[in-house]
Amino acid sequence: DAGITQSPRHKVTETGTPVTLRCHQTENHRYMYWYRQDPGHGLRLIHYSYGVKDTDKGEVSDGYSVSRSKTEDFLLTLESATSSQTSVYFCAMGSGGTGNTGELFFGEGSRLTVL
Amino acid sequence: EDQVTQSPEALRLQEGESSSLNCSYTVSGLRGLFWYRQDPGKGPEFLFTLYSAGEEKEKERLKATLTKKESFLHITAPKPEDSATYLCAVQGFSGGYNKLIFGAGTRLAVHP
Protein backbone atom coordinates (compact mmCIF):
# COMPACT_ATOMS: atom_id res chain seq x y z
CA ASP A 1 0.00 0.00 0.00
CA ALA A 2 2.77 2.41 -1.01
CA GLY A 3 0.31 4.99 -2.42
CA ILE A 4 2.83 6.04 -5.04
CA THR A 5 5.05 3.79 -7.13
CA GLN A 6 7.70 4.47 -9.74
CA SER A 7 8.88 2.30 -12.61
CA PRO A 8 11.41 1.30 -13.58
CA ARG A 9 13.43 1.59 -10.39
CA HIS A 10 16.71 1.23 -12.26
CA LYS A 11 17.54 1.82 -15.90
CA VAL A 12 20.73 2.00 -17.94
CA THR A 13 20.46 3.45 -21.41
CA GLU A 14 22.60 4.94 -24.13
CA THR A 15 22.95 8.54 -25.20
CA GLY A 16 20.33 9.54 -27.74
CA THR A 17 17.72 6.95 -26.81
CA PRO A 18 14.26 7.92 -25.54
CA VAL A 19 13.36 7.05 -21.96
CA THR A 20 10.03 7.16 -20.15
CA LEU A 21 9.67 6.98 -16.38
CA ARG A 22 6.27 6.23 -14.91
CA CYS A 23 4.71 7.38 -11.68
CA HIS A 24 1.49 5.80 -10.45
CA GLN A 25 -0.55 6.93 -7.44
CA THR A 26 -3.58 5.40 -5.80
CA GLU A 27 -4.56 8.39 -3.63
CA ASN A 28 -6.46 10.44 -6.23
CA HIS A 29 -4.25 13.48 -5.55
CA ARG A 30 -4.55 16.35 -7.98
CA TYR A 31 -0.94 17.52 -7.75
CA MET A 32 2.01 15.43 -8.90
CA TYR A 33 5.67 16.34 -9.35
CA TRP A 34 8.88 15.09 -10.93
CA TYR A 35 12.18 15.97 -9.24
CA ARG A 36 15.75 14.99 -9.93
CA GLN A 37 18.35 14.58 -7.18
CA ASP A 38 22.06 15.01 -7.80
CA PRO A 39 24.93 15.16 -5.30
CA GLY A 40 25.47 18.68 -4.03
CA HIS A 41 22.34 20.06 -5.69
CA GLY A 42 19.48 18.81 -3.62
CA LEU A 43 16.15 18.07 -5.21
CA ARG A 44 15.24 20.17 -8.26
CA LEU A 45 11.78 20.38 -9.79
CA ILE A 46 11.53 19.26 -13.41
CA HIS A 47 7.78 19.47 -14.13
CA TYR A 48 4.59 19.29 -12.16
CA SER A 49 0.93 18.63 -12.86
CA TYR A 50 -2.15 20.17 -11.28
CA GLY A 51 -4.67 17.95 -13.01
CA VAL A 52 -5.31 15.73 -16.00
CA LYS A 53 -3.61 17.31 -19.02
CA ASP A 54 -2.55 20.31 -16.89
CA THR A 55 1.22 20.56 -16.49
CA ASP A 56 3.82 23.25 -15.97
CA LYS A 57 7.59 23.60 -16.02
CA GLY A 58 9.90 23.58 -13.04
CA GLU A 59 13.42 24.96 -12.73
CA VAL A 60 15.22 22.25 -14.79
CA SER A 61 12.70 21.33 -17.50
CA ASP A 62 14.95 21.51 -20.59
CA GLY A 63 15.21 18.09 -22.27
CA TYR A 64 12.18 16.69 -20.45
CA SER A 65 8.50 16.41 -21.23
CA VAL A 66 5.60 15.09 -19.19
CA SER A 67 2.12 13.80 -19.75
CA ARG A 68 -0.84 13.15 -17.50
CA SER A 69 -3.76 11.49 -19.27
CA LYS A 70 -5.20 10.00 -16.08
CA THR A 71 -5.23 11.27 -12.49
CA GLU A 72 -3.22 8.29 -11.29
CA ASP A 73 -0.39 8.36 -13.85
CA PHE A 74 2.29 10.98 -14.47
CA LEU A 75 4.91 10.17 -17.10
CA LEU A 76 8.32 11.78 -17.51
CA THR A 77 9.96 11.43 -20.94
CA LEU A 78 13.50 12.13 -21.99
CA GLU A 79 13.17 12.42 -25.77
CA SER A 80 16.89 11.90 -26.38
CA ALA A 81 18.81 11.03 -23.24
CA THR A 82 22.14 12.72 -22.50
CA SER A 83 24.81 11.89 -19.94
CA SER A 84 23.85 15.04 -17.96
CA GLN A 85 20.48 13.41 -17.32
CA THR A 86 22.08 10.62 -15.31
CA SER A 87 20.39 11.11 -11.96
CA VAL A 88 17.91 9.77 -9.47
CA TYR A 89 14.37 10.81 -10.35
CA PHE A 90 11.67 11.14 -7.73
CA CYS A 91 7.97 11.44 -8.25
CA ALA A 92 5.88 13.08 -5.55
CA MET A 93 2.26 13.89 -4.83
CA GLY A 94 0.71 16.57 -2.69
CA SER A 95 -0.51 15.24 0.63
CA GLY A 96 -2.19 18.37 1.94
CA GLY A 97 -5.91 19.02 1.81
CA THR A 98 -5.72 20.73 -1.54
CA GLY A 99 -2.41 19.12 -2.54
CA ASN A 100 -0.73 22.39 -3.33
CA THR A 101 1.53 22.62 -0.29
CA GLY A 102 5.08 21.63 0.45
CA GLU A 103 4.00 18.53 2.33
CA LEU A 104 4.82 16.03 -0.36
CA PHE A 105 4.75 12.24 -0.38
CA PHE A 106 7.60 10.84 -2.48
CA GLY A 107 8.06 7.63 -4.39
CA GLU A 108 11.09 5.40 -3.96
CA GLY A 109 12.98 6.89 -6.89
CA SER A 110 14.18 5.76 -10.31
CA ARG A 111 17.92 5.62 -10.86
CA LEU A 112 18.78 6.42 -14.48
CA THR A 113 22.24 6.00 -15.96
CA VAL A 114 22.92 7.35 -19.45
CA LEU A 115 26.09 5.95 -21.00
CA GLU B 1 16.28 34.32 -6.19
CA ASP B 2 15.09 31.92 -3.50
CA GLN B 3 17.92 29.96 -1.96
CA VAL B 4 18.46 27.37 0.77
CA THR B 5 21.80 26.46 2.36
CA GLN B 6 22.17 23.64 4.86
CA SER B 7 25.04 23.11 7.25
CA PRO B 8 26.98 21.11 8.08
CA GLU B 9 27.10 18.86 5.02
CA ALA B 10 27.78 15.89 7.27
CA LEU B 11 27.60 15.33 11.01
CA ARG B 12 28.76 12.41 13.06
CA LEU B 13 27.37 12.01 16.58
CA GLN B 14 27.66 9.50 19.35
CA GLU B 15 24.41 8.02 20.59
CA GLY B 16 22.94 10.43 23.13
CA GLU B 17 25.00 13.42 21.94
CA SER B 18 22.52 16.21 21.15
CA SER B 19 23.15 18.64 18.28
CA SER B 20 21.49 20.94 15.76
CA LEU B 21 21.30 21.13 11.98
CA ASN B 22 21.02 24.51 10.29
CA CYS B 23 18.97 25.65 7.31
CA SER B 24 19.59 29.22 6.14
CA TYR B 25 17.25 30.63 3.54
CA THR B 26 16.56 33.67 1.43
CA VAL B 27 13.11 33.95 -0.04
CA SER B 28 10.86 36.72 -1.24
CA GLY B 29 8.13 36.13 1.30
CA LEU B 30 7.95 32.78 3.07
CA ARG B 31 4.87 30.64 2.57
CA GLY B 32 6.39 27.72 4.47
CA LEU B 33 9.58 25.92 5.45
CA PHE B 34 9.64 22.15 5.37
CA TRP B 35 11.88 19.47 6.86
CA TYR B 36 12.24 16.02 5.34
CA ARG B 37 14.18 12.90 6.28
CA GLN B 38 15.72 10.70 3.58
CA ASP B 39 17.10 7.22 4.16
CA PRO B 40 19.61 5.76 1.66
CA GLY B 41 17.92 4.50 -1.48
CA LYS B 42 14.53 5.90 -0.43
CA GLY B 43 12.45 8.93 -1.22
CA PRO B 44 12.26 11.85 1.24
CA GLU B 45 9.76 11.55 4.07
CA PHE B 46 7.95 14.65 5.31
CA LEU B 47 8.66 15.67 8.93
CA PHE B 48 7.54 19.24 9.68
CA THR B 49 6.07 22.45 8.29
CA LEU B 50 6.88 25.84 9.82
CA TYR B 51 5.11 28.99 8.68
CA SER B 52 6.26 31.92 10.79
CA ALA B 53 9.20 33.08 12.91
CA GLY B 54 9.02 31.77 16.45
CA GLU B 55 7.11 28.66 15.51
CA GLU B 56 8.31 25.28 16.81
CA LYS B 57 7.31 21.70 15.99
CA GLU B 58 8.34 18.50 17.78
CA LYS B 59 8.33 14.83 16.94
CA GLU B 60 10.02 12.31 19.20
CA ARG B 61 13.68 13.39 19.48
CA LEU B 62 13.38 16.08 16.80
CA LYS B 63 12.41 19.71 17.25
CA ALA B 64 12.29 22.24 14.41
CA THR B 65 12.44 25.98 15.01
CA LEU B 66 12.16 28.97 12.69
CA THR B 67 13.53 32.52 12.60
CA LYS B 68 13.28 35.08 9.81
CA LYS B 69 16.50 33.85 8.22
CA GLU B 70 17.04 30.27 9.31
CA SER B 71 15.62 27.12 10.75
CA PHE B 72 17.19 24.63 13.11
CA LEU B 73 16.50 20.95 13.50
CA HIS B 74 17.46 20.04 17.04
CA ILE B 75 18.15 16.38 17.75
CA THR B 76 18.02 15.44 21.42
CA ALA B 77 19.74 12.27 22.64
CA PRO B 78 19.90 10.77 19.13
CA LYS B 79 19.81 7.04 18.46
CA PRO B 80 21.43 5.14 15.56
CA GLU B 81 18.03 4.93 13.85
CA ASP B 82 18.08 8.72 13.50
CA SER B 83 20.91 8.33 10.97
CA ALA B 84 19.68 9.75 7.66
CA THR B 85 19.97 12.77 5.41
CA TYR B 86 17.81 15.68 6.56
CA LEU B 87 16.52 18.02 3.88
CA CYS B 88 15.16 21.53 4.27
CA ALA B 89 12.94 23.21 1.67
CA VAL B 90 11.25 26.59 1.35
CA GLN B 91 8.16 27.71 -0.47
CA GLY B 92 8.09 31.39 -1.34
CA PHE B 93 5.31 33.64 -2.52
CA SER B 94 7.08 34.37 -5.80
CA GLY B 95 7.52 30.71 -6.72
CA GLY B 96 3.96 29.73 -6.11
CA TYR B 97 2.52 26.87 -4.13
CA ASN B 98 4.05 24.20 -6.28
CA LYS B 99 7.69 25.17 -6.36
CA LEU B 100 9.81 24.11 -3.43
CA ILE B 101 13.49 25.04 -3.22
CA PHE B 102 15.47 22.30 -1.49
CA GLY B 103 18.80 22.49 0.24
CA ALA B 104 21.48 19.88 -0.45
CA GLY B 105 20.89 18.23 2.91
CA THR B 106 22.83 17.26 6.02
CA ARG B 107 23.99 13.64 6.30
CA LEU B 108 23.68 12.57 9.93
CA ALA B 109 25.40 9.47 11.27
CA VAL B 110 24.71 8.42 14.86
CA HIS B 111 27.04 5.79 16.23
CA PRO B 112 26.37 3.52 19.24
Side-chain angles (χ1 to χ4, degrees):
Chain A
D1 59 342
I4 184 167
T5 55
Q6 295 183 228
S7 60
R9 294 291 313 281
H10 301 272
K11 185 171 183 65
V12 179
T13 191
E14 294 188 351
T15 297
T17 61
V19 176
T20 295
L21 305 180
R22 179 179 182 245
C23 180
H24 179 79
Q25 59 131 329
T26 58
E27 308 297 318
N28 201 35
H29 280 299
R30 179 181 173 193
Y31 291 85
M32 297 183 75
Y33 308 80
W34 276 107
Y35 285 87
R36 62 177 288 174
Q37 187 173 40
D38 304 289
H41 282 277
L43 286 155
R44 291 180 291 175
L45 182 64
I46 305 171
H47 282 281
Y48 68 96
S49 170
Y50 46 96
V52 173
K53 298 186 178 176
D54 291 323
T55 65
D56 203 352
K57 296 179 180 179
E59 61 181 308
V60 290
S61 59
D62 287 348
Y64 302 95
S65 62
V66 290
S67 66
R68 191 161 178 208
S69 58
K70 298 185 290 184
T71 298
E72 57 265 37
D73 290 326
F74 192 32
L75 304 181
L76 177 70
T77 297
L78 292 65
E79 300 292 345
S80 178
T82 67
S83 58
S84 65
Q85 294 176 312
T86 292
S87 186
V88 181
Y89 291 87
F90 287 98
C91 178
M93 61 184 179
S95 61
T98 60
N100 61 346
T101 76
E103 299 174 9
L104 302 180
F105 187 84
F106 284 84
E108 299 275 88
S110 295
R111 181 176 293 276
L112 176 67
T113 302
V114 184
L115 302 175
Chain B
E1 182 180 328
D2 298 349
Q3 200 165 16
V4 176
T5 302
Q6 292 189 246
S7 62
E9 288 187 17
L11 181 63
R12 177 189 171 112
L13 299 174
Q14 290 299 122
E15 185 172 3
E17 179 186 2
S18 301
S19 188
S20 297
L21 313 182
N22 177 264
C23 171
S24 297
Y25 65 91
T26 55
V27 64
S28 53
L30 181 70
R31 284 185 189 275
L33 184 141
F34 307 87
W35 282 98
Y36 286 81
R37 169 191 170 126
Q38 185 174 23
D39 292 306
K42 303 287 187 181
E45 176 186 352
F46 169 73
L47 292 174
F48 302 111
T49 304
L50 301 166
Y51 291 106
S52 57
E55 190 175 358
E56 299 182 353
K57 293 278 181 70
E58 284 191 68
K59 180 179 181 180
E60 296 181 356
R61 294 175 292 282
L62 300 177
K63 183 169 78 173
T65 62
L66 181 65
T67 73
K68 289 186 177 180
K69 292 185 177 181
E70 56 193 350
S71 177
F72 292 95
L73 186 65
H74 306 278
I75 304 176
T76 302
K79 298 182 178 181
E81 52 262 44
D82 294 321
S83 298
T85 296
Y86 291 87
L87 305 174
C88 171
V90 296
Q91 185 183 57
F93 282 102
S94 63
Y97 278 116
N98 294 295
K99 297 183 179 178
L100 293 183
I101 304 298
F102 280 86
T106 293
R107 291 191 316 277
L108 174 66
V110 181
H111 297 268

